[in-house]
Amino acid sequence: MGGPGDPPEGTPEGAPGGGEDEYRSVVFDESFVRAARLQEYSAQERIADHAPAVRRRPPLRRGLSRQALVLVLLIAVAFGTAIYMGVRHPYQGPAAREPAEPLRMTVIPLAPEGRVPGTADTAYLYAHSPAAQFKTGAEGVPLPPSRRTAHFSDSQVVTALSTAKDYVVRSALDPDVITGGEIRAVRVLLDPDQLDQFDQSFARPTADGRHAPTGWLVRFDPSRAELADRRVRVQGTLQAAETDASTLEVTADHTFVYALRPAGAGDEAAVSLFTVRRELQFRFDRDDLRLHQAQLVVSYVQAGPLSCAEDSTHHLRPLLAGQTAKEGGPAGTDPYATGSATALCGSLATSAQPKV
């Protein structure tokens, strides 16, 4: 006969012997017992209370781990701090930017005291002029050693100097600009606040000290003169200084010498030299530095040989080899000198002309 725990038919064939072996793999440890949802009453409890044999235990309360509690606490603190800072110190946008000043310009024509010297040999002209040792093109506009200022880094000073150099090169050395064509290459370097003034200067030029194209760039009347040599001679300096905590200022002082001949004349035509002295003052705020733009606030130009009787507002109309001015200025002015002319029209000093 089978034991009390065996089935009536006996232990199935192939099953492990003994009822205990069937549950040998089940381990009833202490955690298993505590996790049970049903708990049996003791015999004493059943006798005393006539309660059911078992009772349902409340589910175990599994608390958060210490790491989770710390993480929740940190998130709460950070969130509270963000709210507090937002209330105490609301975000303020950047201070309103001061609009750029309009360009103030002065263009002084320099009339020759006699006939304009010239020859078909351009190299000879340069070699016998004060521009004999000048550099060619952009090489004559070197960047000076840069130093940081109280409120601007070395790289920001370099950016200001480089932008000013780009403006000088594009506005006075680019053949397309010089011959009265391209102006966009110069325009894109200007602060947006000055674009209306720039555009009006070319659409409706006037001699009011604000709207002369020749105050923005060097351009010759293409119907009168053309370049005999695209390699313009240049000499000058760039200097940077901080004017206040938000502004850098760059001063460009250069003398340009152009070889010109009559428009449409062949290569055998006589060539003469034309000299332009430009003193430009640029200003840069941090937006200008970031966008590689400049505020051109002062343009002071002396140019000759020109006739004082002709308008030099829209184009420079040079006097070429063999020509003379109808009238001259009050005194001889040397555009190679460092002083500034004060007259509305000057007389080009003989020392500024090549010796032919």
Side-chain angles (χ1 to χ4, degrees):
M1 269 183 85
D6 295 334
E9 294 82 3
T11 302
E13 184 179 356
E20 297 178 2
D21 293 339
E22 185 176 355
Y23 303 98
R24 187 171 297 168
S25 62
V26 181
V27 179
F28 298 97
D29 57 9
E30 184 178 354
S31 62
F32 178 84
V33 174
R34 282 203 302 266
R37 301 297 302 275
L38 298 177
Q39 183 183 29
E40 185 180 4
Y41 286 102
S42 66
Q44 184 65 35
E45 288 174 328
R46 290 200 300 271
I47 293 174
D49 299 333
H50 305 286
V54 296
R55 61 184 172 188
R56 185 175 296 276
R57 298 180 63 184
L60 290 176
R61 298 180 180 273
R62 297 185 178 272
L64 293 174
S65 67
R66 180 175 298 178
Q67 292 86 347
L69 285 174
V70 171
L71 179 60
V72 171
L73 180 62
L74 288 175
I75 293 175
V77 170
F79 186 70
T81 302
I83 294 177
Y84 172 78
M85 293 300 292
V87 173
R88 288 291 301 273
H89 306 283
Y91 172 75
Q92 297 179 354
R97 180 175 180 269
E98 292 292 331
E101 293 183 14
L103 170 61
R104 294 175 285 115
M105 59 184 69
T106 303
V107 180
I108 300 177
L110 303 178
E113 296 180 348
R115 290 185 179 276
V116 177
T119 177
D121 190 345
T122 303
Y124 180 89
L125 279 178
Y126 277 126
H128 291 79
S129 77
Q133 303 302 319
F134 283 15
K135 298 290 182 65
T136 302
E139 293 182 1
V141 192
L143 294 178
S146 61
R147 295 181 180 177
R148 62 176 298 128
T149 65
H151 299 92
F152 291 89
S153 67
D154 185 75
S155 64
Q156 289 175 315
V157 175
V158 170
T159 298
L161 290 167
S162 299
T163 305
K165 174 179 178 175
D166 287 347
Y167 189 94
V168 170
V169 170
R170 295 187 190 183
S171 64
L173 297 176
D174 185 342
D176 291 333
V177 173
I178 295 170
T179 54
E182 172 68 39
I183 62 172
R184 183 180 180 279
V186 178
R187 187 181 188 273
V188 296
L189 290 175
L190 291 171
D191 185 286
D193 291 343
Q194 294 187 310
L195 295 182
D196 286 343
Q197 183 187 5
F198 181 87
D199 293 339
Q200 185 177 343
S201 298
F202 288 87
R204 296 181 298 278
T206 55
D208 60 356
R210 291 287 190 273
H211 301 93
T214 49
W216 296 98
L217 46 83
V218 176
R219 58 172 2 200
F220 297 109
D221 184 348
S223 67
R224 175 170 294 191
E226 64 183 30
L227 289 173
D229 187 349
R230 296 168 69 92
R231 298 169 299 172
V232 181
R233 305 310 197 263
V234 192
Q235 180 172 281
T237 60
L238 290 168
Q239 294 181 336
E242 177 182 311
T243 56
D244 56 50
S246 60
T247 309
L248 274 175
E249 185 172 286
V250 174
T251 301
D253 186 353
H254 295 86
T255 300
F256 306 86
V257 184
Y258 305 85
L260 303 177
R261 62 186 171 211
D267 294 341
E268 302 300 323
V271 177
S272 59
L273 298 185
F274 188 92
T275 305
V276 176
R277 168 80 179 280
R278 294 176 88 203
E279 298 176 55
L280 306 179
Q281 182 178 312
F282 301 91
R283 287 182 187 162
F284 300 86
D285 58 25
R286 285 178 168 77
D287 283 344
D288 293 323
L289 295 174
R290 179 174 54 86
L291 298 173
H292 194 67
Q293 295 172 336
Q295 304 173 32
L296 179 58
V297 294
V298 176
S299 173
Y300 188 86
V301 180
Q302 304 170 47
L306 289 170
S307 174
C308 295
E310 294 208 56
D311 181 16
S312 300
T313 300
H314 193 237
H315 290 97
L316 298 174
R317 295 180 170 88
L319 295 172
L320 302 174
Q323 295 180 334
T324 58
K326 295 180 180 179
E327 57 180 301
T333 302
D334 187 351
Y336 293 88
T338 56
S340 297
T342 57
L344 295 179
C345 183
S347 179
L348 184 63
T350 303
S351 59
Q353 297 276 35
K355 297 178 175 58
V356 177

